[in-house]
Amino acid sequence: MTPERHAKDQPTPALFFDTANAYQRTEALKSAIELNLFTAIGEGKTTTKEIAQACQASERGTRILCDYLVIIGFLTKDKRSYGLTADSATFLDRRSPAYLGGTIEFLLTPRLIDNFKQLTAAVKKGGTVSSEEGMIEAENPAWVSFARAMAPMMAMPSQLIAKLVDPNANESLKILDIAAGHGLYGLAFAKRNPRAEVTAVDWANVLEVAKENAQAAGVSDRYQTIAGSAFDVEYGSGYDIVLLTNFLHHFDVKTCETLLRKVRASLADGGRAVTMEFVPNDDRVSPPQAAAFSMMMLGTTPSGDAYTFAELESMFSNAGFARSEMHELPPTIQRVIITYK
Amino acid sequence: MTPERHAKDQPTPALFFDTANAYQRTEALKSAIELNLFTAIGEGKTTTKEIAQACQASERGTRILCDYLVIIGFLTKDKRSYGLTADSATFLDRRSPAYLGGTIEFLLTPRLIDNFKQLTAAVKKGGTVSSEEGMIEAENPAWVSFARAMAPMMAMPSQLIAKLVDPNANESLKILDIAAGHGLYGLAFAKRNPRAEVTAVDWANVLEVAKENAQAAGVSDRYQTIAGSAFDVEYGSGYDIVLLTNFLHHFDVKTCETLLRKVRASLADGGRAVTMEFVPNDDRVSPPQAAAFSMMMLGTTPSGDAYTFAELESMFSNAGFARSEMHELPPTIQRVIITYK
């Protein structure tokens, strides 16, 4: 809904109005997922009447929701016929292997989004005000929900990372997966490389999900777990790869450096830390999705952030690592940093 | 935050992720207004430190909020210095006569936005589920809040309409302002044309605001009021102009036609109905802001809508009017329909 400019670029309240009402975009997307609307259209229901019938909804409500989804970019419209965009067909039709609709169970859980009802107070304080620790409280059940709901979003990036870091997939590899969650990042290595062994660290309640996924992948015999906080437990040593996926952003620089020293000590000579993160450019406002992730951290954590490559490089360097290199991970909105011990 | 396309236009989850998190845009804009952040920047505070100090907020929270406002289009950033866009300077700096920040008191009032927490049920039903009548309940105090908070947003369009409809501003004019609210649309005529007399219809609690504004404009001697529902009260007759600004969208076609018959009966020969509305094109998905207003009506009313010109023309015609003509009203996102008795 890019605001339209008029003659002479006169100021317009369009962006203000759009943004004040932006919460309706979230709710419209959520409703469409709840109603299986994208799947209905993918199955060939294209008129308001057909879609309404398939979604057991009113024609009036369906017409208004579909038009709104066209306006915000999720559907196409040709005369009276609606269609899926390429992105919607890939990510929002339940029949697609890359279906992401279930991630709203985490992304839109009240435990997460209610943090933003007090955003003004969070800006004043400089961190979440909902509780002392926000989303990073020990054993927060939201992370079990995360591990279950967000796994589909991680399938593609986990495969891309395994391919990037272990291209030949034929050498013996000892892998430590920090805050493994669903476990998919470690499991992607184990599935590609029969000589890869994975040790996953996370809270006990979350590890249950990782273990289920290891079993489903048929690699339980090469999958160990260590229950507890990544800051407290003993990792063991001699790892070739330590995975740090979507973890550092929850903490301040000092806390990250403390963790990274521990990570480095667990690596074998020639070992590598592999970090996946939302990494904004040095301007901190691009690329937009990665840069905007700072707002998620302001709202939900005491002092987390989306760190630039320079900041991450400095953390690793301060923790004793040799050098870091950044890789893009298209088509994801994240980046990978490979750091050598 | 337009999702970036990668090589070969591979599907990306960027739009999904942006939209799931779109509620954060609303909250960020609200926080910036509450903190007077735009005004601070307008006054020359341009670094994180200066802005944080002026807003009595943390530097970390201020930096993240400012970067986010750059990403979503409200601020500029040059190295470490933030600036206002032309739109933000016009509409969000409190020192600007066109300041709109206060409209969030209505646009983001829980009474309005809470409707969207049940959007899926509203799509199923085909109208608001929060109550029988939603926002159009008799004497709903939200309309007093509307009249106070939204008046600044109406200043410019009300002047544009008065100029369009009464360009010479020197002939005797009897004007009826239906659901007058803040009263600004009728008052714009009275202020320009010393021979214009205005009668405002609205609920008694809302008319208090209109009367205050008439007094402030110095035209109380040419300002009468009729308290009650526009569907119930007697209008009188012989009006040269009947104003219908942002009113028809709350009702279904049949209800609108009933009202328009009553409006037509109150007009003098040669009289005109002047309607200001969110008018989408026939495709119902453009222009985006006008078309998206249907979603607002789905969430908050039993059967309101953003009507196309063809639909409005048909309503007026069915109510006995001669002909309708549409005018753009740049730079606003609304359109004006002038209909001849």
Side-chain angles (χ1 to χ4, degrees), chain A residues 1 4-5 11-12 15-16 18-20 22-24 26 31 34 58 60 63 73-74 77 87 90-91 103 108 113 116 120 123-124 126 153 283-284 288-289 304-305, chain B residues 1 4-5 11-12 15-20 22-24 26 31 34 58 60 63 67 73-74 77 87 90-91 103 108 113 116 120 123-124 126 283 288-289 296 304-305:
Chain A
M1 232 188 288
E4 286 168 60
R5 286 286 166 185
T12 124
L15 180 65
F16 167 77
D18 273 2
T19 305
Y23 68 94
Q24 293 177 13
T26 301
S31 288
E34 288 176 351
S58 69
R60 176 185 141 72
R63 184 258 296 168
F74 286 90
K77 187 176 185 182
D87 288 353
T90 304
F91 300 115
T103 61
L108 301 183
I113 66 176
F116 289 89
T120 302
V123 175
K124 282 179 176 279
M153 199 147 193
D283 63 13
R284 285 199 171 283
Q289 281 82 18
D305 212 341
Chain B
M1 233 190 283
E4 284 168 60
R5 287 286 166 183
T12 125
L15 180 65
F16 168 77
F17 205 67
D18 272 2
T19 305
Y23 69 94
Q24 293 177 13
T26 301
S31 289
E34 288 177 350
S58 69
R60 176 185 141 70
R63 185 257 297 167
D67 283 340
F74 286 90
K77 186 177 185 181
D87 288 352
T90 303
F91 300 115
T103 61
L108 300 182
I113 66 176
F116 289 89
T120 302
V123 175
K124 281 179 177 279
D283 64 13
Q289 282 81 18
M296 183 71 93
D305 212 339

Coordinates of all heavy atoms in Angstrom, one line a residue, chain A residues 1 4-5 11-12 15-16 18-20 22-24 26 31 34 58 60 63 73-74 77 87 90-91 103 108 113 116 120 123-124 126 153 283-284 288-289 304-305, chain B residues 1 4-5 11-12 15-20 22-24 26 31 34 58 60 63 67 73-74 77 87 90-91 103 108 113 116 120 123-124 126 283 288-289 296 304-305:
Chain A
M1 N 0.8 -1.2 0.0 CA 0.0 0.0 0.0 C 0.9 1.3 0.0 O 0.8 2.1 0.9 CB -0.9 0.0 1.2 CG -2.3 0.2 0.9 SD -3.4 0.4 2.3 CE -3.4 -1.3 3.0
E4 N 0.3 7.0 -2.5 CA 0.4 7.6 -3.9 C 0.8 9.1 -3.7 O 0.2 9.8 -2.9 CB -0.9 7.5 -4.6 CG -1.1 6.0 -5.1 CD -2.5 5.8 -5.6 OE1 -2.9 6.5 -6.5 OE2 -3.2 5.0 -5.0
R5 N 1.6 9.5 -4.6 CA 2.0 10.9 -4.6 C 1.2 11.7 -5.5 O 0.8 11.2 -6.6 CB 3.5 11.0 -5.0 CG 4.4 10.5 -3.9 CD 4.5 11.6 -2.9 NE 5.1 11.1 -1.7 CZ 5.2 11.8 -0.5 NH1 4.7 13.0 -0.5 NH2 5.8 11.3 0.5
P11 N 2.5 17.0 0.5 CA 2.4 16.0 1.6 C 1.0 15.3 1.6 O 0.0 16.0 1.3 CB 2.6 16.9 2.8 CG 3.3 18.1 2.4 CD 2.8 18.3 1.0
T12 N 1.0 14.1 1.9 CA -0.3 13.3 2.1 C -0.3 12.5 3.4 O 0.8 12.0 3.8 CB -0.5 12.4 0.9 OG1 -0.7 11.1 1.4 CG2 0.6 12.4 -0.1
L15 N 0.5 7.6 4.3 CA 1.4 6.7 5.1 C 1.0 6.7 6.6 O 1.0 5.6 7.2 CB 2.8 7.1 4.9 CG 3.8 6.2 5.7 CD1 3.8 4.8 5.1 CD2 5.2 6.8 5.7
F16 N 0.6 7.8 7.1 CA 0.2 7.9 8.5 C -1.0 7.0 8.7 O -1.1 6.2 9.6 CB -0.1 9.4 8.9 CG -0.9 9.5 10.2 CD1 -0.2 9.3 11.4 CD2 -2.2 9.7 10.2 CE1 -0.9 9.4 12.6 CE2 -2.9 9.7 11.4 CZ -2.2 9.6 12.6
D18 N -2.2 4.6 6.7 CA -1.8 3.1 6.5 C -1.2 2.5 7.8 O -1.4 1.4 8.1 CB -0.8 3.0 5.4 CG -1.4 2.9 4.0 OD1 -2.7 3.0 4.0 OD2 -0.7 2.8 3.1
T19 N -0.3 3.3 8.4 CA 0.5 2.8 9.5 C -0.3 2.7 10.7 O -0.2 1.7 11.5 CB 1.8 3.6 9.7 OG1 2.5 3.6 8.4 CG2 2.7 3.0 10.7
A20 N -1.1 3.7 11.0 CA -2.0 3.7 12.1 C -2.9 2.4 12.1 O -3.2 1.8 13.1 CB -2.9 4.9 12.2
A22 N -2.1 -0.4 10.4 CA -1.3 -1.6 10.0 C -1.7 -2.8 10.8 O -1.5 -3.9 10.3 CB 0.2 -1.3 10.1
Y23 N -2.2 -2.6 12.0 CA -2.6 -3.8 12.8 C -3.6 -4.6 12.1 O -3.7 -5.8 12.3 CB -3.1 -3.4 14.2 CG -4.4 -2.6 14.1 CD1 -5.6 -3.3 14.3 CD2 -4.4 -1.3 13.9 CE1 -6.8 -2.6 14.2 CE2 -5.6 -0.6 13.8 CZ -6.8 -1.3 13.9 OH -8.0 -0.6 13.8
Q24 N -4.4 -4.0 11.2 CA -5.4 -4.7 10.5 C -4.8 -5.7 9.4 O -5.4 -6.7 9.1 CB -6.3 -3.8 9.7 CG -7.2 -3.0 10.7 CD -8.1 -1.9 10.0 OE1 -8.3 -1.9 8.8 NE2 -8.7 -1.0 10.8
T26 N -2.0 -7.4 10.0 CA -1.7 -8.6 10.8 C -3.0 -9.5 11.0 O -2.9 -10.7 10.8 CB -1.2 -8.2 12.2 OG1 0.0 -7.4 12.0 CG2 -0.8 -9.4 13.1
S31 N -6.5 -14.1 9.9 CA -7.8 -14.6 9.6 C -7.8 -15.5 8.3 O -8.4 -16.5 8.2 CB -8.8 -13.5 9.3 OG -9.2 -12.9 10.6
E34 N -6.4 -18.8 9.3 CA -7.3 -19.5 10.1 C -8.5 -20.1 9.3 O -9.0 -21.2 9.5 CB -7.9 -18.6 11.2 CG -6.9 -18.3 12.3 CD -7.4 -17.4 13.4 OE1 -8.5 -16.8 13.2 OE2 -6.7 -17.2 14.4
S58 N -19.1 -15.9 5.2 CA -20.1 -15.1 4.4 C -19.4 -14.6 3.1 O -18.2 -14.4 3.1 CB -20.5 -13.8 5.2 OG -19.4 -13.0 5.4
R60 N -19.9 -11.6 1.8 CA -19.5 -10.2 2.0 C -18.1 -10.2 2.7 O -17.2 -9.4 2.3 CB -20.6 -9.6 2.9 CG -20.3 -8.2 3.3 CD -21.4 -7.7 4.2 NE -20.8 -6.9 5.3 CZ -20.3 -5.7 5.1 NH1 -20.4 -5.1 3.9 NH2 -19.8 -5.0 6.1
R63 N -15.4 -11.4 0.4 CA -15.0 -10.4 -0.7 C -14.1 -9.3 -0.1 O -13.1 -9.0 -0.7 CB -16.3 -9.8 -1.2 CG -16.1 -8.9 -2.4 CD -16.2 -7.4 -2.0 NE -17.6 -7.1 -1.5 CZ -17.9 -5.9 -0.9 NH1 -16.9 -5.0 -0.7 NH2 -19.1 -5.6 -0.5
G73 N -0.9 -7.3 -1.0 CA 0.1 -8.1 -1.8 C 0.1 -9.6 -1.7 O 1.0 -10.2 -2.2
F74 N -1.0 -10.2 -1.1 CA -1.0 -11.7 -1.0 C -1.8 -12.4 -2.0 O -1.6 -13.6 -2.2 CB -1.5 -12.0 0.4 CG -0.6 -11.8 1.5 CD1 -0.6 -10.5 2.2 CD2 0.4 -12.7 1.9 CE1 0.3 -10.3 3.2 CE2 1.3 -12.5 2.9 CZ 1.3 -11.2 3.5
K77 N -5.9 -10.3 -8.5 CA -7.3 -10.2 -8.9 C -7.4 -9.9 -10.3 O -6.8 -8.9 -10.8 CB -8.0 -9.1 -8.0 CG -9.5 -9.1 -8.2 CD -10.2 -8.1 -7.3 CE -11.7 -8.1 -7.4 NZ -12.4 -7.1 -6.6
D87 N 4.6 -16.1 -3.9 CA 4.9 -16.3 -2.5 C 3.8 -17.0 -1.7 O 4.0 -17.8 -0.9 CB 5.2 -14.9 -1.8 CG 6.5 -14.3 -2.3 OD1 7.3 -14.9 -3.0 OD2 6.7 -13.1 -2.0
T90 N 3.6 -20.6 -2.4 CA 4.7 -21.4 -1.8 C 4.6 -21.4 -0.2 O 4.8 -22.5 0.3 CB 6.1 -20.6 -2.1 OG1 6.2 -20.5 -3.5 CG2 7.2 -21.4 -1.5
F91 N 4.2 -20.4 0.4 CA 4.2 -20.3 1.9 C 2.9 -20.4 2.6 O 2.9 -20.6 3.8 CB 5.0 -19.0 2.3 CG 6.4 -18.9 1.8 CD1 6.8 -18.0 0.8 CD2 7.3 -19.9 2.1 CE1 8.1 -17.9 0.3 CE2 8.6 -19.8 1.7 CZ 9.0 -18.8 0.8
T103 N 3.3 -20.8 11.6 CA 4.2 -20.0 12.4 C 3.5 -18.8 13.2 O 4.0 -18.3 14.1 CB 5.3 -19.3 11.6 OG1 4.7 -18.5 10.6 CG2 6.2 -20.4 10.8
L108 N 2.3 -14.7 16.6 CA 1.2 -13.9 17.1 C 0.6 -14.4 18.4 O -0.5 -14.1 18.8 CB 0.1 -13.9 16.0 CG 0.5 -13.3 14.7 CD1 -0.6 -13.2 13.7 CD2 1.1 -11.9 14.9
I113 N 3.2 -10.8 21.4 CA 2.7 -9.5 20.9 C 2.3 -8.6 21.9 O 2.3 -7.4 21.8 CB 1.6 -9.7 19.8 CG1 0.4 -10.3 20.3 CG2 2.1 -10.6 18.6 CD1 -0.8 -10.4 19.3
F116 N 4.2 -5.5 22.9 CA 4.2 -4.2 22.2 C 3.1 -3.3 22.6 O 3.1 -2.1 22.2 CB 4.2 -4.5 20.7 CG 5.5 -5.1 20.2 CD1 5.7 -6.5 20.2 CD2 6.5 -4.3 19.8 CE1 7.0 -7.0 19.9 CE2 7.8 -4.8 19.5 CZ 8.0 -6.2 19.5
T120 N 5.9 2.2 24.3 CA 6.4 3.5 24.8 C 7.2 3.3 26.0 O 8.3 3.9 26.1 CB 5.2 4.5 25.0 OG1 4.5 4.6 23.8 CG2 5.7 5.8 25.4
V123 N 10.6 1.8 25.1 CA 11.5 2.8 24.5 C 12.1 3.7 25.6 O 13.3 4.0 25.6 CB 10.8 3.7 23.5 CG1 11.7 4.8 23.0 CG2 10.3 2.9 22.3
K124 N 11.3 4.0 26.6 CA 11.8 4.8 27.7 C 12.9 4.1 28.5 O 14.0 4.5 28.8 CB 10.7 5.2 28.7 CG 9.9 6.4 28.1 CD 8.8 6.8 29.1 CE 8.0 8.0 28.7 NZ 8.6 9.3 29.0
G126 N 14.4 1.2 27.5 CA 15.5 0.6 26.7 C 15.4 -0.9 26.6 O 16.4 -1.6 26.2
M153 N 9.5 -22.8 9.1 CA 10.2 -21.6 8.6 C 11.7 -21.9 8.5 O 12.5 -21.2 7.8 CB 10.0 -20.4 9.5 CG 10.3 -19.1 8.8 SD 9.1 -17.9 9.5 CE 9.4 -16.5 8.3
D283 N 24.3 0.8 8.2 CA 23.4 2.0 8.4 C 22.2 1.6 9.3 O 21.5 2.5 9.7 CB 22.8 2.4 7.0 CG 22.0 1.3 6.3 OD1 21.6 0.3 7.0 OD2 21.7 1.4 5.1
R284 N 22.1 0.3 9.7 CA 21.1 -0.1 10.6 C 19.6 0.0 10.1 O 18.7 -0.2 10.9 CB 21.2 0.6 12.0 CG 22.3 0.1 12.8 CD 22.1 0.4 14.3 NE 23.1 -0.2 15.1 CZ 23.1 -1.5 15.5 NH1 22.1 -2.3 15.1 NH2 24.0 -2.0 16.2
P288 N 15.6 -4.0 5.0 CA 14.6 -3.6 5.9 C 14.2 -4.7 6.9 O 14.0 -4.4 8.1 CB 13.4 -3.3 5.0 CG 13.8 -3.8 3.6 CD 15.2 -3.8 3.6
Q289 N 14.0 -6.0 6.4 CA 13.5 -7.0 7.4 C 14.5 -7.3 8.4 O 14.2 -7.5 9.6 CB 13.2 -8.3 6.6 CG 11.8 -8.3 5.9 CD 11.9 -7.6 4.6 OE1 13.0 -7.4 4.0 NE2 10.8 -7.2 4.0
G304 N 18.5 -7.4 23.9 CA 18.9 -8.0 22.7 C 18.9 -7.0 21.5 O 18.4 -5.9 21.7
D305 N 19.4 -7.4 20.4 CA 19.5 -6.5 19.2 C 19.7 -7.3 18.0 O 20.1 -8.5 18.0 CB 20.6 -5.5 19.5 CG 20.4 -4.2 18.8 OD1 19.5 -4.1 17.9 OD2 21.0 -3.2 19.3
Chain B
M1 N 8.6 -1.2 3.6 CA 9.4 -2.4 3.7 C 9.0 -3.3 2.6 O 8.6 -4.4 2.8 CB 9.1 -3.0 5.1 CG 10.3 -3.3 5.9 SD 10.0 -4.4 7.3 CE 9.2 -3.2 8.4
E4 N 12.4 -7.6 -0.7 CA 13.3 -7.6 -1.8 C 13.3 -8.9 -2.6 O 13.1 -10.0 -2.0 CB 14.7 -7.4 -1.2 CG 14.9 -6.0 -0.7 CD 16.2 -5.8 0.1 OE1 17.3 -6.1 -0.4 OE2 16.0 -5.4 1.3
R5 N 13.4 -8.7 -3.8 CA 13.4 -9.9 -4.7 C 14.8 -10.4 -4.9 O 15.7 -9.6 -5.0 CB 12.7 -9.5 -6.0 CG 11.2 -9.4 -5.9 CD 10.6 -10.8 -5.8 NE 9.2 -10.7 -5.3 CZ 8.5 -11.8 -5.1 NH1 9.1 -13.0 -5.2 NH2 7.3 -11.7 -4.7
P11 N 10.5 -17.4 -4.6 CA 9.6 -16.9 -3.6 C 10.4 -16.6 -2.3 O 11.4 -17.2 -2.0 CB 8.7 -18.2 -3.3 CG 8.8 -19.0 -4.6 CD 10.2 -18.7 -5.1
T12 N 9.9 -15.6 -1.6 CA 10.5 -15.2 -0.3 C 9.4 -15.0 0.8 O 8.4 -14.6 0.5 CB 11.4 -13.9 -0.4 OG1 10.9 -13.0 0.6 CG2 11.3 -13.3 -1.7
L15 N 7.3 -10.8 2.7 CA 6.0 -10.2 2.9 C 5.2 -10.8 4.0 O 4.6 -10.1 4.8 CB 5.3 -10.2 1.6 CG 3.9 -9.5 1.7 CD1 4.0 -8.0 1.9 CD2 3.1 -9.8 0.4
F16 N 5.3 -12.1 4.1 CA 4.6 -12.8 5.2 C 5.1 -12.4 6.5 O 4.3 -12.0 7.4 CB 4.8 -14.4 5.0 CG 4.4 -15.1 6.3 CD1 3.0 -15.3 6.5 CD2 5.3 -15.6 7.2 CE1 2.6 -16.0 7.6 CE2 4.9 -16.2 8.3 CZ 3.5 -16.4 8.6
F17 N 6.4 -12.3 6.7 CA 7.0 -11.9 7.9 C 6.7 -10.5 8.3 O 6.3 -10.2 9.4 CB 8.5 -12.1 7.8 CG 9.3 -12.3 9.0 CD1 9.1 -13.5 9.8 CD2 10.2 -11.4 9.5 CE1 9.8 -13.7 11.0 CE2 10.9 -11.6 10.7 CZ 10.7 -12.8 11.4
D18 N 6.8 -9.6 7.3 CA 6.5 -8.2 7.5 C 5.0 -8.0 7.9 O 4.7 -7.2 8.8 CB 6.6 -7.4 6.1 CG 7.9 -6.9 5.9 OD1 8.8 -7.2 6.7 OD2 8.1 -6.3 4.8
T19 N 4.1 -8.8 7.3 CA 2.7 -8.6 7.6 C 2.3 -9.2 8.9 O 1.5 -8.6 9.6 CB 1.9 -9.2 6.4 OG1 2.3 -8.6 5.2 CG2 0.4 -8.9 6.6
A20 N 2.9 -10.3 9.2 CA 2.6 -10.9 10.5 C 3.0 -9.9 11.6 O 2.4 -9.8 12.6 CB 3.4 -12.2 10.7
A22 N 3.1 -6.6 11.3 CA 2.7 -5.3 10.9 C 2.1 -4.5 12.1 O 2.2 -3.3 12.2 CB 1.7 -5.3 9.8
Y23 N 1.6 -5.3 13.1 CA 1.1 -4.6 14.3 C 2.2 -3.8 15.0 O 1.9 -2.8 15.7 CB 0.5 -5.6 15.3 CG 1.6 -6.5 15.9 CD1 2.1 -6.2 17.1 CD2 2.0 -7.6 15.2 CE1 3.1 -7.0 17.7 CE2 3.0 -8.4 15.8 CZ 3.6 -8.1 17.0 OH 4.6 -8.9 17.6
Q24 N 3.4 -4.1 14.8 CA 4.5 -3.3 15.4 C 4.6 -2.0 14.8 O 5.1 -1.0 15.4 CB 5.8 -4.1 15.3 CG 5.9 -5.4 16.1 CD 7.1 -6.2 16.0 OE1 8.1 -5.7 15.4 NE2 7.1 -7.4 16.5
T26 N 2.1 -0.1 13.8 CA 1.1 0.7 14.5 C 1.6 1.1 15.8 O 1.5 2.3 16.2 CB -0.2 -0.2 14.7 OG1 -0.7 -0.6 13.4 CG2 -1.3 0.6 15.4
S31 N 3.9 5.1 19.7 CA 4.9 5.4 20.7 C 5.6 6.7 20.3 O 5.9 7.6 21.1 CB 6.0 4.3 20.8 OG 5.4 3.2 21.4
E34 N 3.4 9.5 21.1 CA 3.3 9.7 22.5 C 4.5 10.3 23.1 O 4.5 11.1 24.1 CB 3.0 8.3 23.2 CG 1.6 7.8 23.0 CD 1.3 6.4 23.6 OE1 2.3 5.8 24.0 OE2 0.2 6.0 23.6
S58 N 15.3 6.2 26.8 CA 16.7 5.6 26.8 C 17.3 5.8 25.4 O 16.6 5.9 24.4 CB 16.6 4.1 27.0 OG 15.9 3.5 26.0
R60 N 19.1 3.6 23.8 CA 18.9 2.3 23.1 C 17.5 2.2 22.5 O 17.4 1.9 21.3 CB 19.2 1.2 24.1 CG 18.9 -0.2 23.5 CD 19.1 -1.2 24.7 NE 18.1 -2.2 24.6 CZ 18.1 -3.1 23.6 NH1 19.1 -3.1 22.7 NH2 17.2 -4.0 23.5
R63 N 17.2 4.8 19.6 CA 17.9 4.4 18.4 C 17.1 3.4 17.7 O 16.9 3.5 16.4 CB 19.3 3.9 18.8 CG 20.1 3.5 17.6 CD 20.2 2.0 17.3 NE 20.8 1.3 18.4 CZ 20.8 0.0 18.5 NH1 20.1 -0.8 17.6 NH2 21.3 -0.7 19.5
D67 N 15.4 4.1 14.0 CA 15.8 3.2 12.8 C 14.5 2.6 12.2 O 14.4 2.5 11.0 CB 16.8 2.2 13.2 CG 18.2 2.8 13.4 OD1 18.4 3.8 12.8 OD2 19.0 2.1 14.1
G73 N 9.3 4.4 6.8 CA 9.1 5.6 5.9 C 8.8 6.9 6.6 O 8.4 7.9 5.9
F74 N 8.9 7.0 7.9 CA 8.6 8.3 8.6 C 9.7 9.2 8.9 O 9.5 10.4 9.1 CB 7.8 8.0 9.9 CG 6.5 7.5 9.7 CD1 6.2 6.1 9.6 CD2 5.4 8.3 9.6 CE1 4.9 5.6 9.4 CE2 4.1 7.9 9.5 CZ 3.9 6.5 9.3
K77 N 17.5 9.2 7.4 CA 18.7 9.0 8.2 C 19.9 9.2 7.3 O 20.0 8.7 6.2 CB 18.8 7.5 8.7 CG 20.0 7.3 9.7 CD 19.9 5.9 10.3 CE 21.0 5.7 11.3 NZ 21.0 4.3 11.9
D87 N 6.2 14.5 4.7 CA 4.9 14.1 5.3 C 4.9 14.2 6.9 O 4.0 14.7 7.5 CB 4.5 12.7 5.0 CG 4.1 12.5 3.5 OD1 3.9 13.6 2.8 OD2 3.9 11.4 3.0
T90 N 4.8 17.7 8.1 CA 3.5 18.4 7.9 C 2.5 17.8 8.9 O 1.7 18.6 9.5 CB 3.0 18.1 6.5 OG1 3.9 18.6 5.6 CG2 1.6 18.8 6.3
F91 N 2.5 16.5 9.1 CA 1.4 15.9 9.9 C 1.8 15.4 11.3 O 0.9 15.1 12.1 CB 0.9 14.7 9.1 CG 0.3 15.1 7.7 CD1 0.9 14.7 6.5 CD2 -0.8 16.0 7.6 CE1 0.4 15.0 5.3 CE2 -1.3 16.3 6.4 CZ -0.7 15.9 5.2
T103 N -5.1 12.2 16.2 CA -6.2 11.3 15.7 C -6.0 9.9 16.2 O -7.0 9.1 16.1 CB -6.2 11.3 14.1 OG1 -4.9 10.8 13.7 CG2 -6.4 12.7 13.6
L108 N -6.9 4.6 17.3 CA -6.4 3.4 18.0 C -7.1 3.3 19.4 O -6.5 2.6 20.3 CB -4.9 3.6 18.2 CG -4.1 3.7 16.9 CD1 -2.6 3.8 17.1 CD2 -4.4 2.5 16.0
I113 N -10.3 -0.7 17.8 CA -9.3 -1.7 17.3 C -9.6 -3.1 17.9 O -9.3 -4.1 17.2 CB -7.8 -1.3 17.5 CG1 -7.5 -1.2 19.0 CG2 -7.5 0.0 16.9 CD1 -6.0 -1.0 19.3
F116 N -11.1 -5.9 15.7 CA -10.3 -6.7 14.8 C -9.7 -7.9 15.5 O -9.1 -8.8 14.8 CB -9.2 -5.8 14.1 CG -9.9 -4.9 13.1 CD1 -10.3 -3.6 13.5 CD2 -10.1 -5.3 11.8 CE1 -11.0 -2.8 12.7 CE2 -10.7 -4.5 11.0 CZ -11.2 -3.2 11.4
T120 N -11.7 -13.0 12.2 CA -12.2 -14.3 11.6 C -13.7 -14.5 11.7 O -14.4 -14.8 10.8 CB -11.4 -15.4 12.2 OG1 -10.0 -15.2 12.0 CG2 -11.7 -16.8 11.5
V123 N -15.5 -12.2 9.4 CA -15.5 -12.6 8.0 C -16.6 -13.7 7.9 O -17.3 -13.7 6.9 CB -14.1 -13.2 7.6 CG1 -14.2 -13.8 6.2 CG2 -13.1 -12.0 7.7
K124 N -16.7 -14.6 8.8 CA -17.7 -15.6 8.8 C -19.1 -15.0 8.7 O -19.9 -15.4 7.9 CB -17.5 -16.6 9.9 CG -16.4 -17.6 9.8 CD -16.3 -18.5 11.0 CE -15.2 -19.6 10.8 NZ -15.6 -20.7 10.1
G126 N -19.9 -11.8 8.2 CA -20.1 -10.7 7.2 C -20.3 -9.4 7.8 O -20.8 -8.4 7.2
D283 N -12.6 -1.9 -9.6 CA -11.8 -3.2 -9.3 C -11.8 -3.5 -7.8 O -11.5 -4.5 -7.3 CB -10.4 -3.1 -9.8 CG -9.6 -2.0 -9.2 OD1 -10.0 -1.4 -8.1 OD2 -8.5 -1.7 -9.7
P288 N -5.3 2.2 -3.2 CA -5.3 1.2 -2.1 C -5.9 1.7 -0.8 O -6.6 1.0 -0.1 CB -3.7 1.0 -1.9 CG -3.1 2.1 -2.7 CD -4.0 2.5 -3.8
Q289 N -5.7 3.0 -0.4 CA -6.2 3.5 0.9 C -7.8 3.5 0.9 O -8.4 3.1 1.9 CB -5.7 4.8 1.2 CG -4.3 4.9 1.8 CD -3.2 4.8 0.7 OE1 -3.5 5.1 -0.5 NE2 -2.0 4.4 1.1
M296 N -12.1 -1.7 7.3 CA -12.5 -1.0 8.5 C -14.0 -1.2 8.7 O -14.4 -1.4 9.9 CB -12.1 0.5 8.3 CG -12.4 1.3 9.5 SD -11.3 1.0 10.9 CE -10.1 2.3 10.6
G304 N -21.6 -2.0 6.7 CA -21.1 -0.8 6.0 C -20.0 -1.3 5.0 O -19.6 -2.4 4.9
D305 N -19.7 -0.3 4.1 CA -18.7 -0.6 3.0 C -18.1 0.7 2.4 O -18.6 1.7 2.7 CB -19.5 -1.4 1.9 CG -18.6 -2.4 1.2 OD1 -17.3 -2.3 1.3 OD2 -19.1 -3.3 0.6

